[in-house]
């Protein structure tokens, strides 16, 4: 097997060998379940039913969850000295970075699998509009990829998990807030540019089920940028 | 196997390692000695490609540490100062993971895992979580991970730290048994271990190599003479220090003198002649064999 997969697999086992995986899964099921029930309640009042608000809520959950998933990935290795094991083994910074990122991303994919029963219920007991479900799932994967890449990057910067976690959370929050000025001042050029850099704006477009290559490229380049930056940070260790 | 040339590492304004050069041949066990902060760990980190040197170069198993870093890392087994362990894994899972990282092919992993468990004498702890191991056992897991990929070169940074006397003896034995197949560079503060395991020592102080030689030669160089005189005159010290081959003279109570020798020629005959000529009343003249500890203290004390 490819080395990054081994590293990712070790990370996934690490999540499940501590409380964090179970707490996150439980919290995820609870929040998504509550949202689903309230959507059903609204539909019972006669509003048109759609699953999109459910997925929209999950971005907020990701905002809190990503830092918890990624903060320890490299910061802990730095703090406990296991980075010395990784980098005296015949590995490249890319292999390490990819492994860490894939591990966190795979955990996000597990969480997304845990939401598949919602469209299934709708399909069973009503009519399901499949477009938004696909669009939203792809959008959430893209979002998770970019969020995790940013988280891995923050984790590579310092040897404190807590600092890495806050840095990640702060960065993600900022990128979410970039969409706000455009919502209140539609004519402002600067606000429009800022919104272009907000993950939320791209995410919201994809939710509807319209997958635009522009949005896909946005998320792919964002992920690539932070993964690349992580490899540079890891490489710079040599010269300190 | 290990060739180091003019290696330097600068942290800010201070030199952690300065112009260090040495070599270790195939199958040699070389001890790396020096006081705290001398630069042993820094040198080993550079050799294991964890850090780049500020200047200088090194080759391991024929590969340059900067140009063929991947090959170098394939050829070495490295035990860092603090054993690099993942607390949430069991010993077996951890060693297996290290085997993967170090590129052991799948078909050989089971065999290498057994060999590593054996080297650390860890068979009965193989399924314990590392978090639950004592300090000494953690160190043993560290030793086991260093040899898992059967490397031709071993770099061990204080392998016996935290081990009980029995385990220290086992580790000594283990290191000695590596000799024909592997080249070993080990740093330690336990001098009797060096005396027993190493064929050669390199002493480093404040980032510079101050001596490198076989253990016996170093001890011989630092050896001296004990002299006891019945009627020493006040100028006896001065006269003695002028004898060829004597580097220093210390006067002790009751007519005793302690002489350090340069090691080039035997000064005993000349001293005996002088004692008779000066009528000092020679009572005793004996050779003092230095042990490694005295050599170490002498080499690393800056005066
Ligand atoms: N990251 C760092 N930044 C600045 N100086 C450092 C750093 N790491 C080590 N040094 C300095 O480099 C010098 C050599 O340190 P090194 O750890 O190599 O010593 P050592 O010989 O291994 O000592 P010990 O026997 O205590 O393990 C020391 O003076 C130390 O203060
Ligand atoms: Mg050290």
């Amino acid at each position: 097997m490819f080395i990054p997969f081994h590293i990712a697999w070790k990370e996934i086992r690490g999540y499940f060998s501590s409380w964090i995986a179970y707490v996150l899964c439980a919290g995820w099921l609870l929040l998504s379940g509550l949202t689903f029930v309230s959507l059903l309640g609204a539909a019972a009042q006669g509003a048109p039913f759609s699953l999109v608000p459910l997925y929209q809520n999950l971005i907020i959950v990701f905002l809190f969850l990503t830092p918890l998933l990624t903060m320890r990935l490299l910061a802990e290795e730095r703090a406990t000295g296991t980075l010395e094991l990784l980098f005296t083994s015949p590995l490249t910074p890319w292999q390490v970075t990819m492994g860490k990122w894939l591990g966190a991303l795979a955990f996000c994919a597990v969480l997304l699998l845990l939401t598949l029963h919602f469209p299934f219920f709708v399909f069973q007991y009503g009519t399901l509009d499949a477009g938004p479900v696909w669009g939203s799932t792809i959008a959430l994967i893209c979002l998770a990829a970019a969020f995790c890449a940013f988280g891995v990057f923050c984790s590579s910067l310092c040897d404190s998990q807590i600092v890495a976690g806050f840095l990640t959370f702060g960065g993600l929050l900022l990128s979410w807030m970039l969409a706000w000025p455009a919502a209140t001042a539609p004519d402002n050029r600067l606000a429009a540019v800022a919104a272009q850099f907000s993950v939320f704006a791209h995410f919201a477009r994809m939710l509807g089920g319209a997958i635009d290559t522009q949005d896909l490229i946005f998320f792919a380049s964002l992920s690539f940028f932070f993964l690349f930056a992580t490899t540079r940070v890891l490489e710079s260790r040599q010269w300190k | 196997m290990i060739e180091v040339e003019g290696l330097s590492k600068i942290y800010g304004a201070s030199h952690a390692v300065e112009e260090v050069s040495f070599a270790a041949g195939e199958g040699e066990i070389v001890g790396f000695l020096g006081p705290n902060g001398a630069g042993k760990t820094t040198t080993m980190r550079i050799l294991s490609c964890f850090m780049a040197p500020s200047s200088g170069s090194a080759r391991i198993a024929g590969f340059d540490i900067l140009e063929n870093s991947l090959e170098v890392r394939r050829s070495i087994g490295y035990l860092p100062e603090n054993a690099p362990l993942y607390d949430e894994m069991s010993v077996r899972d951890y060693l297996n993971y290290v085997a993967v990282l170090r590129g052991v092919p799948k078909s050989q992993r089971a065999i290498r895992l057994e060999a590593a468990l054996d080297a650390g004498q860890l068979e009965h702890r193989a399924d314990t979580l590392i978090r639950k191991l004592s300090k000494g056992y953690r160190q043993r897991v560290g030793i086991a991970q260093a040899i898992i990929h059967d490397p031709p070169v071993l770099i061990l940074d204080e392998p016996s730290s935290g081990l009980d006397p029995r385990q220290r003896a086992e580790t000594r034995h283990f290191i000695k048994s590596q000799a024909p197949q592997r080249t070993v560079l080990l740093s330690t503060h336990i001098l009797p271990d060096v005396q027993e395991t190493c064929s050669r020592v390199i002493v480093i102080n404040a980032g510079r190599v101050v001596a490198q030689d076989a253990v016996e030669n170093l001890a011989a160089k630092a050896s001296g003479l004990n002299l006891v005189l019945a009627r020493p005159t006040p100028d006896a010290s001065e006269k003695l220090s002028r004898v060829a081959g004597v580097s220093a003279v210390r006067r002790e109570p009751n007519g005793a003198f302690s002489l350090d020798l340069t090691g080039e020629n035997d000064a005993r005959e000349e001293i005996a002649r002088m004692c008779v000529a000066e009528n000092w009343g020679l009572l005793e003249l004996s050779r003092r064999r230095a042990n490694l500890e005295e050599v170490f203290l002498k080499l690393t004390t800056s005066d």
Side-chain angles (χ1 to χ4, degrees):
Chain A
M1 215 169 29
F2 187 51
I3 290 277
F5 288 155
H6 281 282
I7 297 179
W9 179 235
K10 183 220 151 231
E11 293 307 330
I12 295 166
R13 287 182 53 170
Y15 290 137
F16 282 97
S17 69
S18 69
W19 50 269
I20 184 133
Y22 303 100
V23 170
L24 289 181
C25 285
W28 175 266
L29 284 172
L30 184 72
L31 288 174
S32 56
L34 283 177
T35 315
F36 185 66
V37 169
S38 68
L39 287 179
L40 287 183
Q45 309 278 310
F49 182 77
S50 161
L51 275 174
V52 170
L54 168 69
Y55 294 109
Q56 221 154 16
N57 269 6
L58 292 181
I59 186 179
I60 318 281
V61 184
F62 266 128
L63 209 64
F64 287 95
L65 185 138
T66 313
L68 290 175
L69 278 182
T70 57
M71 62 186 195
R72 58 178 282 275
L73 288 177
L74 287 160
E76 192 184 39
E77 304 248 9
R78 230 180 237 276
T80 62
T82 44
L83 207 61
E84 237 174 310
L85 169 68
L86 286 181
F87 287 108
T88 56
S89 298
L91 304 176
T92 63
W94 266 112
Q95 287 176 317
V96 174
T97 309
M98 290 296 285
K100 297 286 175 180
W101 176 66
L102 285 173
L105 191 56
F107 189 84
C108 294
V110 169
L111 292 180
L112 283 179
L113 283 179
L114 292 180
T115 58
L116 280 184
H117 56 295
F118 299 125
F120 178 74
F121 281 143
V122 178
F123 176 71
Q124 202 68 348
Y125 301 105
T127 47
L128 178 71
D129 185 2
V133 172
W134 282 117
S136 305
T137 307
I138 294 174
L140 278 170
I141 289 276
C142 289
L143 186 83
F147 277 16
C148 288
F150 181 66
V152 170
F153 170 67
C154 292
S155 185
S156 74
L157 291 177
C158 50
D159 53 15
S160 156
Q161 292 187 42
I162 305 292
V163 174
F166 273 104
L167 217 58
T168 311
F169 181 69
L172 295 181
L173 198 63
L174 191 71
S175 114
W176 185 42
M177 286 175 2
L178 282 176
W180 292 358
T184 50
D187 305 329
N188 191 318
R189 273 261 193 81
L190 203 64
V193 172
Q196 273 303 308
F197 284 97
S198 165
V199 280
F200 191 68
H202 290 270
F203 179 72
R205 274 216 294 272
M206 291 171 83
L207 272 187
I211 304 289
D212 192 342
T213 38
Q214 188 205 335
D215 298 323
L216 287 179
I217 289 172
F218 172 78
F219 282 112
S221 42
L222 205 62
S223 306
F224 177 79
F225 173 76
F226 284 115
L227 292 178
F228 175 72
T230 308
T231 64
R232 301 320 295 170
V233 171
L234 290 178
E235 203 125 290
S236 74
R237 140 200 69 86
Q238 281 217 317
W239 309 103
K240 281 192 186 139
Chain B
M1 271 320 236
I2 306 178
E3 302 150 68
V4 181
E5 260 185 60
L7 215 59
S8 296
K9 178 79 193 176
I10 303 172
Y11 283 119
S14 68
H15 277 78
V17 172
E18 203 171 347
E19 294 287 321
V20 165
S21 302
F22 63 89
E26 205 167 330
E28 246 191 316
I29 301 182
V30 177
F32 206 37
L33 303 184
N36 290 137
K40 303 180 295 293
T41 299
T42 307
T43 309
M44 289 180 155
R45 281 185 169 163
I46 294 172
L47 293 182
S48 60
C49 302
F50 183 68
M51 291 191 315
S54 306
S55 66
S57 68
R59 293 165 74 80
I60 289 185
F63 301 107
D64 189 275
I65 53 163
L66 289 176
E67 278 150 33
N68 293 84
S69 145
L70 281 180
E71 287 303 323
V72 169
R73 286 182 273 164
R74 263 188 261 281
S75 320
I76 58 164
Y78 175 52
L79 169 66
E81 195 160 32
N82 301 310
L85 307 176
Y86 295 108
D87 281 352
E88 76 280 2
M89 293 175 116
S90 74
V91 172
R92 193 184 297 279
D93 285 347
Y94 169 75
L95 290 176
N96 212 17
Y97 182 58
V98 177
V100 169
L101 295 183
R102 299 264 162 119
V104 177
K106 192 165 185 164
S107 57
Q108 285 173 35
R109 253 177 246 156
I111 304 169
R112 291 308 308 161
L113 186 77
E114 286 314 312
L117 285 174
D118 187 51
Q121 304 213 313
L122 287 158
E123 290 89 348
H124 58 296
R125 291 292 166 93
D127 295 305
T128 312
L129 285 186
I130 291 177
R131 175 161 48 85
K132 297 186 178 165
L133 293 178
S134 67
K135 156 99 174 126
Y137 269 98
R138 293 171 70 89
Q139 187 69 9
R140 282 151 74 167
V141 179
I143 293 173
Q145 63 81 30
I147 60 135
I148 191 129
H149 52 305
D150 202 7
V153 177
L154 273 182
I155 297 182
L156 309 173
D157 201 348
E158 301 191 28
S160 40
S161 84
L163 298 183
D164 64 42
R166 183 205 179 98
Q167 202 53 43
R168 235 178 69 198
E170 293 284 356
T171 305
R172 256 193 331 254
H173 179 75
F174 165 75
I175 291 171
K176 266 173 111 166
S177 72
Q178 303 299 305
Q181 317 95 3
R182 298 189 230 272
T183 306
V184 185
L185 178 66
L186 81 141
S187 83
T188 176
H189 292 298
I190 302 166
L191 298 173
D193 282 7
V194 176
Q195 211 140 15
E196 193 175 323
T197 51
C198 301
S199 50
R200 215 151 53 80
V201 287
I202 295 163
V203 184
I204 170 172
N205 187 28
R208 288 178 171 277
V209 173
V210 289
Q212 52 175 320
D213 210 334
V215 180
E216 311 85 65
N217 295 354
L218 275 186
K221 266 188 200 158
S223 64
L225 298 175
N226 287 332
L227 181 67
V228 183
L229 303 175
R231 299 174 296 279
T233 50
D235 62 350
S237 291
E238 203 204 317
K239 282 187 173 152
L240 283 169
S241 65
R242 265 185 266 135
V243 175
V246 174
S247 58
V249 177
R250 281 182 305 281
R251 187 164 189 164
E252 280 151 17
N254 304 327
F257 291 80
S258 164
L259 282 68
D260 289 344
L261 301 179
T262 55
E264 271 106 50
N265 51 352
D266 196 339
R268 280 178 297 180
E269 200 180 342
E270 177 60 31
I271 289 170
R273 197 176 297 131
M274 177 181 271
C275 292
V276 173
E278 300 276 345
N279 194 23
W280 285 334
L282 177 61
L283 297 179
E284 191 182 322
L285 175 59
S286 61
R287 224 165 143 74
R288 169 164 46 83
R289 275 230 160 257
N291 62 19
L292 198 56
E293 190 170 328
E294 285 166 324
V295 179
F296 178 82
L297 290 175
K298 201 170 154 197
L299 285 168
T300 56
T301 314
S302 42
D303 39 17

